[in-house]
Amino acid sequence: MSGGQATATNIQLENVAVIRGGRIVLQKLSFGAQAGDIIWLRGANGSGKSTLLRLMAGLLPAASGRCTVAGKIGLTDERLSLDLGLTLEKAIEFWAKMDGADAAEQQDALNALDLAALAEIPLSYLSTGQRKRAALARIFTSKADIWLLDEPYNGLDSANAARLDARLTKHAQNGGIAVVAAHQPATINVAATISLDEKAARKAA
Amino acid sequence: MNGFAAILMREIRIAWTGGGLWLPIIFFLAVATLFPFVTGPDKALLAKTGGGILWVAALLASLLPIERLILPDRQSGMLDQLTIRGWSDEWVAAAKMAGHFFAFGVPLLIATFVASALIGLPEGKLFILLAGLALAMPALAGLGVTIAALTAGLNSASALGGMLLIPLAVPILIFGAGSLADNPGNAMQLLVAISMAFTALSPFAAGAALRAGRE
């Protein structure tokens, strides 16, 4: 993966609490992930899955505890983070260039989710599922060691869900980490499943 | 640095394709078109007051693009993606300012030729006006991005933006219009000073606003 890190790719959370809008969203949360791990994050709506991903991405501070993340991070959440006015190809190219991916790597990412045929179409014309795949293709070109995916299966048809499974497995085999927040049970081999439901949180406490 | 250029080009592209580039220019030229109707065809009066009116028009035109500077990128997650890639908020703000300068300041300077012809500004005044506006544009771009970052997502952000920009831009206006007076004194030097101060401080102010607005 992209070099330069002194330490190996890993995530370490120790007794983390996060406060958002004056409310404790996460507390007493501890887990770790090493290179090659896929972590499956489950929980009801509002249980703090997105908050946890934003914490690991460095977009939110931990109110207490320690959160250390070593490695280049890629995040997709419910927002597209692509320019709607551009064609799919150009919109992804913007980030691919910023992340130092070349044309072949970008093409590979488009092919991975069967997007090559849509490359010339403006993003604003694409359907929800197609946009979701575009956001995932942005992650694939990002050369990130750690993928933080918020509901990546939402809106995907079964063929594309299988393609995403394959890509996640490949990423883990290459020594990457993926944290996947999802409603459904894991469809691939995962290192750990973490449930953020309140019941589980209370039990842990 | 490569990413800085990418953000800068993106700002220009969005202004160009999204129509954000033309609105301030049309507003600026509309003022220059309408002003002579108000004063009547008094050439001496127009030459005396026209430069000041164009300063006011440029300042108010700079309010128009504010709403599209930060808010859409915050909503679409673009800003978060830059943060994840290790960009400091100040650096993001600086790139946006540079882009805004080219997408707003430069077209407005070009439009100044047309506007001053509509008003009938004498040639000597035109060049002082152009020099003054060119000096003020980086500061106006900086104020625009700062105010956009401060007000992004608030209710009635555009009204609030006007209330913030106008008092802050008063020194620019005073020294800018002052440099057009018959005995300008040190107005141009003071315009340079205030413009440099705003330009230098804006990335930090806007960066702090971006950080505070992240949730």
Side-chain angles (χ1 to χ4, degrees), chain B residues 93 97 138-139 141-146 197-208:
Chain B
M97 277 173 58
L143 281 176
V145 172
T146 304
F198 275 140
T199 310
L201 291 175
S202 292
F204 297 99

Side-chain angles (χ1 to χ4, degrees), chain B residues 2 7 11 18 23 30 35 43-44 50 53 58 66 87 123 133 143 152 161 165 167 195-196 210 214:
Chain B
N2 199 9
I7 296 291
E11 290 296 313
L23 193 62
F35 186 58
K43 213 172 170 191
I53 282 297
I66 281 180
W87 284 55
E123 200 168 303
L133 284 174
L143 281 176
L165 180 84
S195 178
M196 279 172 70
L210 287 177
R214 188 155 50 234

Side-chain angles (χ1 to χ4, degrees), chain A:
Chain A
M1 310 304 288
S2 73
Q5 280 92 34
T7 47
T9 306
N10 76 83
I11 301 174
Q12 210 61 51
L13 270 74
E14 288 167 37
N15 222 359
V16 164
V18 178
I19 297 176
R20 248 182 131 173
R23 200 171 66 88
I24 299 172
V25 183
L26 294 171
Q27 57 178 331
K28 294 184 176 151
L29 182 70
S30 301
F31 77 90
Q34 308 303 321
D37 285 355
I38 296 174
I39 305 287
W40 207 263
L41 212 54
R42 296 200 62 186
N45 298 136
S47 59
K49 298 189 295 291
S50 304
T51 301
L52 180 55
L53 293 183
R54 285 180 72 77
L55 169 78
M56 289 189 281
L59 295 170
L60 279 178
S64 77
R66 252 159 46 91
C67 169
T68 49
V69 176
K72 191 171 182 285
I73 298 164
L75 167 77
T76 67
D77 51 17
E78 76 284 2
R79 297 166 307 170
L80 194 55
S81 307
L82 293 167
D83 283 323
L84 285 177
L86 294 179
T87 62
L88 172 68
E89 188 175 30
K90 291 281 172 202
I92 290 180
E93 191 182 281
F94 176 82
W95 290 113
K97 277 190 173 158
M98 202 162 274
D99 292 322
D102 58 29
E105 286 167 313
Q106 189 186 331
Q107 196 55 48
D108 177 55
L110 290 181
N111 290 336
L113 283 172
D114 196 22
L115 286 167
L118 305 172
E120 301 298 323
I121 299 175
L123 266 181
S124 49
Y125 294 162
L126 296 185
S127 74
T128 311
Q130 289 168 330
R131 289 183 196 191
K132 191 87 202 179
R133 278 148 65 199
L136 289 166
R138 170 169 58 70
I139 285 277
F140 297 166
T141 62
S142 70
K143 303 193 175 189
D145 308 306
I146 299 170
W147 290 358
L148 305 173
L149 310 180
D150 198 353
E151 311 280 3
Y153 292 93
N154 277 14
L156 294 195
D157 54 37
S158 53
N160 282 302
R163 290 191 184 101
L164 175 59
D165 284 347
R167 196 73 188 201
L168 275 168
T169 309
K170 190 175 146 201
H171 177 66
Q173 281 164 357
N174 290 340
I177 295 178
V179 181
V180 181
H183 289 300
Q184 56 273 72
T187 44
I188 44 175
N189 254 336
V190 296
T193 299
I194 294 168
S195 172
L196 291 178
D197 285 325
E198 270 180 78
K199 213 190 322 178
R202 243 180 262 130
K203 208 183 281 173

Side-chain angles (χ1 to χ4, degrees), chain B residues 104-189:
Chain B
F104 164 74
V106 173
L108 197 96
L109 287 175
I110 295 167
T112 302
F113 285 98
V114 182
S116 72
L118 286 168
I119 284 194
L121 220 54
E123 200 168 303
K125 292 258 158 128
L126 166 64
F127 289 115
I128 298 173
L129 176 67
L130 274 174
L133 284 174
L135 288 168
M137 277 311 155
L140 284 182
L143 281 176
V145 172
T146 304
I147 289 167
L150 276 170
T151 59
L154 300 178
N155 288 331
S156 60
S158 49
L160 201 56
M163 284 169 59
L164 283 167
L165 180 84
I166 288 168
L168 285 169
V170 161
I172 298 176
L173 188 70
I174 289 174
F175 299 132
S179 69
L180 287 163
D182 291 331
N183 37 359
N186 295 328
M188 197 62 106
Q189 279 103 315

Side-chain angles (χ1 to χ4, degrees), chain B residues 23-52:
Chain B
L23 193 62
I25 301 301
I26 290 168
F27 174 84
F28 183 66
L29 292 176
V31 172
T33 312
L34 294 176
F35 186 58
F37 289 119
V38 182
T39 60
D42 182 344
K43 213 172 170 191
L45 182 66
L46 279 172
K48 198 167 162 56
T49 56

